[in-house]
Amino acid sequence: MYIGMRKRKFVGTERQDRFIKSVDTDNFDFGLVYTQAFLKGIRDIGYKSTATALFECIDNSIEAEAGNIHIIFDFDRDKSGKSEPDRIAIIDDGFGMTKDMVRIAVLWGGSDRIDSREGMGRYGYGLPSSCVSIGQSYTVISKREDMRQWFGVTIDLEGIANREPEYIDRKGAIIAPPAKASSLPSFVERYLRNKRVELESGTIIIIDKIDRLSKRTFKPLKSFLSLETGITYRNYLNDVNVYIDGSLTEPVDPLFLTKGNRYYDENELRAEPLHPLEIKIQNSIDKRRRPGTVNVRFSYMPYGFFNIAHEEDDISAEGEEEYGDEESKRNRSKRLTVRKRNNGIIFLRKGRQIDVVDSKCPWTKFQNNDRYIGVEVDFSPELDEEFSITTAKQQIVVSERIWNILRDNGVYEAISVMRKRYEKESKAQQNAKENALTESPEKRDSYTEDLMKQSASDFEIDATGQLESVKKEAEENLEKQVKKIAKQTGVAESIVKQNLIAQAESRPYKLDYFDEQEGPFYRAEQIGGQVVVYFNKAHKFYTELYNNPKTNAYTKNALALMVFVLGHTELRVADDKKKWYRMERIAWSMKLDSTLEMLSKHFAKSMDDEVFEEEIQMNSPRGGELDV
């Protein structure tokens, strides 16, 4: 934070004063365009999220040469425990606006930067459009250093719909009311006081009557805004401080090439840059403009890049998509979250991220594994027409000519090289993983238990909805297990039971073994909250199939899941059906034992025949041809 403000010379104030003089001579009527229909329609302009809407205000603050921007939230005091904000304020310490300019700024098209190619804004639609996309009322308050008071204007859509006098001129037209001397809202004053921020100049935008937020509660909204702001303005955050609810926003490079940026060092692996490109391009639509520049960055993220540090040895961490439980969500790789939202070709305009194009690229399509491939295209404002950037600055449509230029300058070739490298690394790592699962029973079983947990989420009923007989048997099994372990170890039964309950919470599905000649190839039981599936080590299912060194990791897990489904189903049926399962399990086991024995003999005979044939061929006096 900072105390006070240094005196600054702002270039933008001179441009603003010239614009105000031109408005005075043009008999400007301050009309808000036409009717309430326009205001209703403009609310649906189509911002992707609350973040992209608020970015319009951040753009304006950066244009106003602000050094510090604050986004803060307010909650109605009479609604205790309310988690959804009622007001949002965007505060900056830029050069501010005069009384007349404040009135113009609330209008659609109210800007002194029409068709400017120097900064971010071109049309003057951003401020009002973004505000009404979030709430039904917005207020703009501003002050320049050469002014003693703050002046503000409020636009309230409900007030306009009710034709309140302040929004109607003598001819009956809807207008923006003149700016009036204003005091700062209490929640803004409180924030500035607590953060020791003194504003000699600046602009404050308050969005009120909020009814449209992409994240309904405050904590997820704050986290979402922090990440998206860090990504979008990564190239500006070294010069401009953006605070969200008082927390400084860190830049996030979605290519993970910038040291010091957020998540750059989430684990020990680092993204690797390829040689960047700089392409000079003449605007083919408006040839009067000077040539623009396109800068392209490439980033390769090696296999394992999305593992989180404390799970780097966890064989299940790599490539996880969605996680079912809250603990897994908290442990999710933040790098992966960033890449999932930026999988494609990332387009920036003058360093400010605008859009990510995936399926609309004419010469390649991006798949999930392409998250390991980073491509960023940053174009200068002289080329706006070639990229058809929208008024809301959140989508571009790249011209065919630009796509061809990017391809011809090696962008597609670089993507292909990175894809081949990832495919090679992926196959090598998958082979290593399979070998680890095959050679380590502990890892194999742990991996299988995780798969059981994920699979069961699709069909496991809530514990409270289970049959009473199932729950009773589970409790009886738990008590038996407690007594057994307590007797073996000498540990108090209360402690043993506590440990078993904790184990069931962390490992609700467990793979275990028993050894019983003539026994079934599996059995299953529920011990408290834990489902345990047992494999019989004495059965040929285990010796000839599951634990056979020739059985690969995929097949072993498939077999384990198949038995898990059988066992889990048996544990969830009524008593009369359980008897049927027990009888059938004995029959299945006998038939399976006999069948696998036949397979083993047949396979051994086939191998012996092949060896015999090879020996005859090798010993043949005429290079493998036999005399008849």
Side-chain angles (χ1 to χ4, degrees), residues 34 65 104 232 243 250 265 297 332 337 400 460 506-507 513 563 597 602 623:
Y34 290 112
E65 303 175 47
I104 292 172
T232 301
Y243 300 91
E250 298 177 73
D265 54 358
R297 287 197 307 155
R332 184 183 303 170
T337 300
E400 183 180 358
E460 174 71 286
S506 61
R507 297 173 65 190
Y513 303 90
V563 176
E597 184 176 7
H602 179 78

Side-chain angles (χ1 to χ4, degrees), residues 435-453:
N435 291 337
L437 292 175
T438 301
E439 295 169 4
S440 170
E442 293 79 13
K443 282 190 176 183
R444 178 194 66 200
D445 291 358
S446 177
Y447 188 73
T448 301
E449 289 165 355
D450 287 340
L451 292 175
M452 289 178 179
K453 183 177 180 180

Side-chain angles (χ1 to χ4, degrees), residues 92-329:
D92 73 49
D93 60 4
F95 52 68
M97 294 181 282
T98 65
K99 174 182 176 180
D100 293 327
M101 191 67 204
V102 171
R103 188 184 187 190
I104 292 172
V106 300
L107 308 178
W108 278 267
S111 174
D112 59 344
R113 298 188 290 267
I114 299 298
D115 203 30
S116 169
R117 302 300 174 108
E118 300 302 319
M120 294 181 177
R122 286 180 57 189
Y123 303 110
Y125 277 67
L127 188 155
S129 295
S130 63
C131 289
V132 299
S133 75
I134 297 172
Q136 297 192 51
S137 175
Y138 65 96
T139 301
V140 178
I141 304 172
S142 195
K143 175 183 176 296
R144 293 197 339 190
E145 281 186 346
D146 55 359
M147 295 164 55
R148 299 182 60 184
Q149 285 184 300
W150 294 82
F151 283 86
V153 174
T154 296
I155 299 298
D156 186 281
L157 301 190
E158 185 178 4
I160 293 171
N162 294 332
R163 298 189 66 81
E164 292 179 2
E166 63 181 309
Y167 298 110
I168 309 297
D169 69 3
R170 286 176 296 181
K171 297 179 181 179
I174 298 173
I175 63 167
K180 299 178 182 178
S182 302
S183 59
L184 303 185
S186 58
F187 79 99
V188 172
E189 284 192 329
R190 185 167 55 250
Y191 174 85
L192 295 176
R193 183 172 59 252
N194 290 341
K195 300 302 180 182
R196 298 183 180 182
V197 177
E198 297 180 8
L199 296 178
E200 296 297 327
S201 65
T203 298
I204 301 169
I205 301 168
I206 299 99
I207 305 173
D208 205 347
K209 298 183 179 180
I210 292 174
D211 57 359
R212 298 181 180 183
L213 291 173
S214 52
K215 302 288 182 182
R216 302 301 298 177
T217 54
F218 171 65
K219 288 184 69 175
L221 177 62
K222 178 181 177 181
S223 177
F224 175 69
L225 290 177
S226 176
L227 180 59
E228 292 300 307
T229 303
I231 293 171
T232 301
Y233 295 98
R234 56 186 175 273
N235 297 307
Y236 290 83
L237 292 178
N238 289 327
D239 301 315
V240 181
N241 296 320
V242 178
Y243 300 91
I244 298 175
D245 187 46
S247 300
L248 182 64
T249 301
E250 298 177 73
V252 181
D253 180 1
L255 271 60
F256 301 103
L257 293 174
T258 309
K259 190 175 182 178
N261 275 204
R262 197 176 180 188
Y263 311 132
Y264 171 82
D265 54 358
E266 187 178 47
N267 65 24
E268 80 287 353
L269 295 178
R270 298 290 176 266
E272 302 172 22
L274 275 67
H275 187 71
L277 301 174
E278 181 177 310
I279 312 168
K280 293 291 183 181
I281 302 174
Q282 177 65 54
N283 189 320
S284 64
I285 300 171
D286 189 351
K287 295 183 179 180
R288 295 171 300 172
R289 298 194 178 280
R290 65 173 184 255
T293 303
V294 170
N295 290 292
V296 187
R297 287 197 307 155
F298 302 99
S299 166
Y300 177 74
M301 288 151 259
Y303 190 95
F305 189 77
F306 300 127
N307 284 352
I308 53 180
H310 66 272
E311 286 189 358
E312 60 190 11
D313 295 325
D314 184 351
I315 57 174
S316 65
E318 177 65 45
E320 290 286 353
E321 293 297 319
E322 297 296 335
Y323 300 78
D325 57 271
E326 289 302 317
E327 183 179 359
S328 294
K329 289 179 181 178

Side-chain angles (χ1 to χ4, degrees), residues 376-387:
E376 175 193 277
V377 175
D378 189 357
F379 63 92
S380 60
E382 292 85 4
L383 298 172
D384 278 354
E385 287 80 8
E386 297 280 6
F387 291 86

